[in-house]
Amino acid sequence: MGLHTSKLMGQLTGLIQDKLDQINSIREFSNFINLCISLSSSSFQIKLANKALALCVSDKPTSRDIRRILRALTFVKFCHKPLLQKCTTLLLDMMNDIEPLELCMINRYYMLLGFEHDQFKNAVLDRLKSVYSETTNPAVFAGVFEALAPEASSDLKLQLEDEALDMIPKMSIDGIVRICNGLRYMNYRSSNILKRVLRYLKQPGVLDGASIDKCIRIAKTLTQFHAKDEKVYDLLREKLSKELSNCLDPHDVSSLVSMLVDLEVSLPNTTILSKISSSLHHYNVVELNRLSASVKEILHDDKMVSAYHSEYTDVLGDLNRLVVKKLDDIRSIYLFNDFMQTVVAEGPDLSLIDELMQHYNKMLHKIGPQAAVDCAVILLRARYLHKPLLDTIAEVVIKYPHKINFLNIKSILLVFANLNYQAPSSERLLRTSMEKVESSLDRYEPNFLIKVAHAMALQQKFSTKVTERLFSLDFLAKLDEVLKEMPPYQASVCRMKLMQLNRAVRIECPESKIPWFHDDYCELLLKQRSHSMLPKVLKDIQGILSEVVGGAAFMRSWVVTPYYYNLDFECVLDANKTPLMCADYGSVLNKSYPGKMSTKLLADLMQWGSHKKELPPGAQRVAIDFLTPKHLCTNSRHPLGQVEMKKRHLEMMGYKYVMIPHYEWFSMRLSTRDDFKNYLREKIFGKSYTGPDKSKESAAVFKLLSSLTR
């Protein structure tokens, strides 16, 4: 039994509670709080945090004292904002005197507590950037690598990689874990670093003394980046299997089982079954969800499940029932949100998601401003359309706008925009949100303001103040500087959202006179677009669609529209709904790009031409897209906001937009080729249409060949 869970520590905690007012030294207190906070009640934890705050004012804390206090708060996940604000102020004053490794640990505690402070974060990054290339201590470098990883730009990633390659052979297993963490944080598959890590792990005895947590972190990195080395995988399987056999801690059991499944352990023998079953009533909701996902993975693999299929099926049922039962015991909306954030981050078992989300129905009356923001983030990450909860969030924001932080308004706007949902009070919600945004324009970072404006545009809400700010030369120049310092993926997302905003303003607000300036950017994306073979489902649709419209000459694939929307397919219908030859009407963009695009690209895209014939009166272009589950909410057939915006914009440009949802295309109703053809006819032409003339295809091909030989 550890000291912090012993009877002696319980007695010491009681003594500290009685003598709390007599402690005047921040150094002594920072040691005591680490020992006793995990055994303290919620009310006593608040007293401890308030005492720490008082001592930070009356005494002179060092960075070590503050680190110990932050560690204690992290241990119980207690984000006491007044105390954290005071610690931040003190740390900023002593920033240049803090040792780099200690600063890395402090920064990690802030991250785990979810406390954001831009000035502190920037100060930490600047300090660590100035020292990482000079340090010769492998342990210090590993800590700095981990701390810089989440915000690393492309150039910094390469520089860190070069330094890491020299340092890895000299590191301890702790350093290797931090390097692995850093790679995951920056989502960077550095093959050179991974090779060095694999070579390091092959050394005899390296993993022998490593803790469960360290082995799991290393294994998680290797599986995430598909850095497979059978010798290392065997060592990890052997180590983790041995740990599982001796493990009694329910948290460790859930983590070990999950990791062994990811490592494709050869046989989930009775050890896994017995370990899951023996601690069944001791898992928390997050651990139950993790085990449920792992058991489902086992059941989907015939080689893994072997002769134990029925036993695993029974265990899965028990796990799911326990999740629901444990949720019924939760009364605090904040505690429930904490559970849900972790569950959603790990990827919930879809068979459980409805049960988890419906639990909110019992707590709607408990939702305040902060809980509303937390609920919005959870729904957004889960892509879950929960109308009663969304209605409640809207009402809370309208009632307490002054209690919603100007940064949190982004989460509120995003959940309604992305889920494409209009609450009964949506007009008041958008008006309240817009007022909040406009009053805080000078406080937003450029990339943050773009996300806010994009969320508003998805809901057809355009603020003149925001639009003028976004497309001013000063703002765009500042944005360009910010993008250079951002991690590549985040920068690419920001550029994409700016393009989409520019497109939305041009199509929906032509009176704003904002120019379209993204041609070069979109052409670059076209050059980078993968032109591999169509997925099987699109090939199937292509073949059947060709028959429906009268032949291949009457349709196009891989189409790009004005303002660069991508379409799966396009055809053109005259006023009588008769298909017209696509080749007769050339490119919708009516542009040629000599010297800019390769011949292969011209052939692949099939719609770039230097001439275009105007459509006959009454004729219309028909855009056809296949919708995958990613285009829809997870719990319904409701299209997401981006799909709705695309439909709106195409219709404003004169298109008819036809959506082919996956659940319709793969339904039992469509079983024969004739069923699929009739389905597409109804979608494109309407129910009364009898179909194109079958002889049209040969006539169209003859006409096309004749024109080419003149």
Side-chain angles (χ1 to χ4, degrees):
M1 180 182 288
L3 179 63
H4 70 284
T5 58
S6 68
K7 183 178 179 180
L8 176 63
M9 192 50 59
Q11 294 170 347
L12 179 60
T13 301
L15 183 63
I16 293 173
Q17 189 167 3
D18 295 335
K19 306 290 185 181
L20 186 62
D21 293 337
Q22 299 176 22
I23 301 175
N24 297 314
S25 167
I26 186 71
R27 182 179 179 184
E28 290 179 7
F29 178 80
S30 65
N31 283 306
F32 286 143
I33 192 175
N34 262 285
L35 293 171
C36 70
I37 195 168
S38 62
L39 297 177
S40 305
S41 64
S42 298
S43 59
F44 187 50
Q45 287 175 7
I46 294 173
K47 287 183 180 179
L48 287 171
N50 289 333
K51 179 67 177 180
L53 179 58
L55 289 174
C56 283
V57 174
S58 62
D59 204 354
K60 294 181 179 179
T62 65
S63 60
R64 290 185 180 182
D65 298 329
I66 295 174
R67 171 173 58 79
R68 284 192 286 265
I69 290 170
L70 293 174
R71 182 178 180 274
L73 295 178
T74 304
F75 196 74
V76 292
K77 298 181 180 178
F78 181 25
C79 186
H80 189 281
K81 291 189 177 178
L83 175 57
L84 292 175
Q85 289 282 8
K86 182 61 180 176
C87 290
T88 303
T89 303
L90 293 169
L91 289 168
L92 284 170
D93 290 339
M94 60 179 83
M95 181 62 65
N96 293 329
D97 299 322
I98 305 174
E99 291 295 325
L101 189 56
E102 186 160 57
L103 188 57
C104 293
M105 295 167 69
I106 290 170
N107 184 63
R108 178 164 175 76
Y109 293 145
Y110 272 112
M111 185 174 69
L112 292 173
L113 288 167
F115 183 73
E116 292 285 343
H117 193 288
D118 290 340
Q119 185 184 356
F120 177 75
K121 183 171 74 171
N122 292 334
V124 170
L125 293 177
D126 290 343
R127 175 78 200 288
L128 295 180
K129 285 177 184 177
S130 67
V131 301
Y132 81 88
S133 59
E134 301 171 2
T135 182
T136 56
N137 186 324
V140 173
F141 175 79
V144 173
F145 184 95
E146 181 184 32
L148 289 176
E151 303 295 331
S153 63
S154 298
D155 291 340
L156 183 56
K157 280 183 183 179
L158 295 175
Q159 293 165 16
L160 287 170
E161 180 180 33
D162 289 341
E163 296 287 339
L165 292 175
D166 293 332
M167 290 284 189
I168 285 174
K170 309 169 191 173
M171 287 181 181
S172 66
I173 193 68
D174 290 343
I176 297 299
V177 171
R178 289 195 171 98
I179 295 293
C180 288
N181 288 342
L183 290 177
R184 288 204 316 280
Y185 295 156
M186 66 173 74
N187 195 26
Y188 180 37
R189 189 187 188 283
S190 168
S191 57
N192 292 327
I193 290 180
L194 290 169
K195 286 176 183 176
R196 288 287 173 94
V197 169
L198 289 169
R199 190 183 308 164
Y200 181 96
L201 294 173
K202 289 179 185 178
Q203 297 177 74
V206 164
L207 291 174
D208 290 349
S211 66
I212 293 173
D213 181 64
K214 290 171 185 174
C215 291
I216 287 175
R217 289 177 185 274
I218 292 171
K220 193 177 290 185
T221 303
L222 298 180
T223 55
Q224 178 178 325
F225 295 118
H226 307 290
K228 195 163 185 178
D229 183 292
E230 279 305 323
K231 183 177 179 180
V232 174
Y233 269 41
D234 286 341
L235 288 171
L236 286 168
R237 290 185 192 115
E238 182 182 352
K239 170 73 174 176
L240 296 179
S241 297
K242 184 179 178 181
E243 293 287 353
L244 180 62
S245 299
N246 300 323
C247 186
L248 298 175
D249 187 312
H251 172 76
D252 288 341
V253 168
S254 67
S255 299
L256 286 165
V257 169
S258 177
M259 199 66 253
L260 283 168
V261 170
D262 289 344
L263 287 170
E264 301 173 358
V265 66
S266 57
L267 264 184
N269 51 35
T270 51
T271 302
I272 289 181
L273 275 171
S274 63
K275 282 294 180 181
I276 295 176
S277 302
S278 63
S279 302
L280 211 51
H281 295 280
H282 299 285
Y283 301 119
N284 62 35
V285 176
V286 174
E287 291 157 0
L288 287 168
N289 177 72
R290 185 185 299 144
L291 286 169
S292 180
S294 297
V295 172
K296 283 194 75 174
E297 193 73 27
I298 291 171
L299 286 168
H300 289 156
D301 191 325
D302 292 335
K303 293 180 181 177
M304 291 177 71
V305 76
S306 167
Y308 303 105
H309 191 282
S310 61
E311 287 88 343
Y312 277 106
T313 303
D314 292 341
V315 166
L316 180 61
D318 292 338
L319 290 168
N320 289 348
R321 282 189 291 274
L322 276 170
V323 169
V324 178
K325 183 179 177 181
K326 283 184 178 285
L327 286 178
D328 288 337
D329 296 333
I330 298 176
R331 299 288 180 264
S332 165
I333 183 66
Y334 298 104
L335 181 57
F336 184 68
N337 278 341
D338 283 344
F339 277 130
M340 288 301 296
Q341 284 172 350
T342 309
V343 166
V344 170
E346 290 199 2
D349 181 349
L350 292 180
S351 63
L352 280 177
I353 189 68
D354 285 327
E355 292 280 2
L356 296 172
M357 287 295 180
Q358 292 312 311
H359 191 70
Y360 276 115
N361 291 337
K362 305 173 185 177
M363 296 186 161
L364 296 179
H365 63 287
K366 298 182 179 181
I367 294 177
Q370 185 55 52
V373 174
D374 295 338
C375 290
V377 171
I378 290 164
L379 291 177
L380 187 62
R381 288 178 179 171
R383 291 201 341 260
Y384 193 93
L385 184 62
H386 192 308
K387 294 181 181 180
L389 181 53
L390 287 166
D391 292 344
T392 302
I393 292 171
E395 292 297 334
V396 170
V397 174
I398 292 167
K399 188 175 180 179
Y400 304 106
H402 57 288
K403 293 187 178 181
I404 303 292
N405 185 281
F406 74 100
L407 294 173
N408 288 338
I409 203 69
K410 181 193 76 169
S411 300
I412 301 296
L413 286 168
L414 275 175
V415 71
F416 288 93
N418 285 11
L419 296 181
N420 186 26
Y421 177 68
Q422 288 191 337
S425 55
S426 60
E427 279 302 317
R428 285 187 297 151
L429 173 66
L430 285 171
R431 187 166 59 250
T432 301
S433 301
M434 186 178 289
E435 290 170 358
K436 190 87 174 176
V437 171
E438 289 179 347
S439 65
S440 306
L441 274 182
D442 295 332
R443 303 168 72 185
Y444 286 123
E445 289 293 323
N447 53 313
F448 194 93
L449 184 58
I450 286 172
K451 293 177 183 178
V452 172
H454 183 266
M456 293 166 64
L458 285 172
Q459 300 173 84
Q460 295 179 267
K461 204 71 175 175
F462 298 90
S463 162
T464 303
K465 282 185 181 179
V466 174
T467 302
E468 289 176 352
R469 172 67 64 89
L470 276 173
F471 296 105
S472 66
L473 292 178
D474 288 344
F475 179 89
L476 294 173
K478 185 178 178 183
L479 175 66
D480 195 46
E481 294 300 316
V482 171
L483 291 176
K484 290 177 183 176
E485 298 298 319
M486 288 174 65
Y489 175 74
Q490 294 178 21
S492 66
V493 170
C494 189
R495 289 190 179 96
M496 179 64 73
K497 287 189 183 298
L498 180 64
M499 182 277 287
Q500 293 171 352
L501 264 174
N502 191 195
R503 176 168 62 195
V505 171
R506 285 293 299 162
I507 294 174
E508 300 190 54
C509 307
E511 70 281 357
S512 67
K513 306 290 178 64
I514 300 295
W516 167 252
F517 55 89
H518 276 90
D519 273 326
D520 290 343
Y521 170 76
C522 293
E523 288 165 24
L524 180 63
L525 290 183
L526 282 175
K527 290 178 182 179
Q528 295 172 347
R529 190 167 78 168
S530 171
H531 302 297
S532 56
M533 299 293 289
L534 287 173
K536 184 180 184 305
V537 63
L538 292 185
K539 279 186 180 180
D540 293 341
I541 295 173
Q542 185 182 50
I544 296 171
L545 181 61
S546 174
E547 296 179 36
V548 168
V549 297
F554 294 90
M555 58 164 287
R556 294 189 295 173
S557 308
W558 295 82
V559 181
V560 177
T561 75
Y563 295 109
Y564 299 88
Y565 270 118
N566 294 318
L567 304 177
D568 291 334
F569 308 102
E570 181 194 77
C571 59
V572 183
L573 305 181
D574 67 13
N576 298 317
K577 295 188 177 180
T578 302
L580 302 175
M581 287 182 62
C582 289
D584 284 352
Y585 298 96
S587 168
V588 294
L589 296 177
N590 192 25
K591 288 184 179 180
S592 61
Y593 297 86
K596 288 189 180 181
M597 290 194 178
S598 68
T599 305
K600 183 179 185 305
L601 186 64
L602 288 168
D604 284 343
L605 294 180
M606 295 174 59
Q607 78 277 354
W608 298 90
S610 56
H611 303 288
K612 183 188 83 170
K613 193 161 70 175
E614 292 295 328
L615 293 178
Q620 186 180 35
R621 295 184 186 275
V622 179
I624 304 165
D625 274 339
F626 177 74
L627 301 187
T628 69
K630 291 184 179 179
H631 294 101
L632 311 171
C633 297
T634 53
N635 64 315
S636 73
R637 297 173 175 180
H638 191 67
L640 298 176
Q642 201 68 47
V643 176
E644 188 63 30
M645 176 188 263
K646 181 177 184 178
K647 178 178 183 291
R648 185 168 71 245
H649 287 176
L650 289 174
E651 289 175 348
M652 292 176 77
M653 290 190 287
Y655 280 82
K656 175 182 177 179
Y657 188 51
V658 172
M659 294 182 279
I660 304 175
H662 70 95
Y663 57 83
E664 291 183 356
W665 189 256
F666 295 119
S667 69
M668 299 288 287
R669 187 168 64 88
L670 306 180
S671 55
T672 67
R673 195 168 186 84
D674 285 340
D675 291 337
F676 287 107
K677 287 162 70 174
N678 290 332
Y679 169 81
L680 289 178
R681 286 193 187 101
E682 287 184 15
K683 285 279 188 180
I684 297 169
F685 305 110
K687 292 185 179 181
S688 60
Y689 183 72
T690 57
D693 185 354
K694 294 291 184 181
S695 63
K696 190 180 293 182
E697 180 176 7
S698 57
V701 174
F702 178 77
K703 179 181 177 182
L704 181 62
L705 289 173
S706 299
S707 65
L708 292 172
T709 53
R710 283 175 189 166

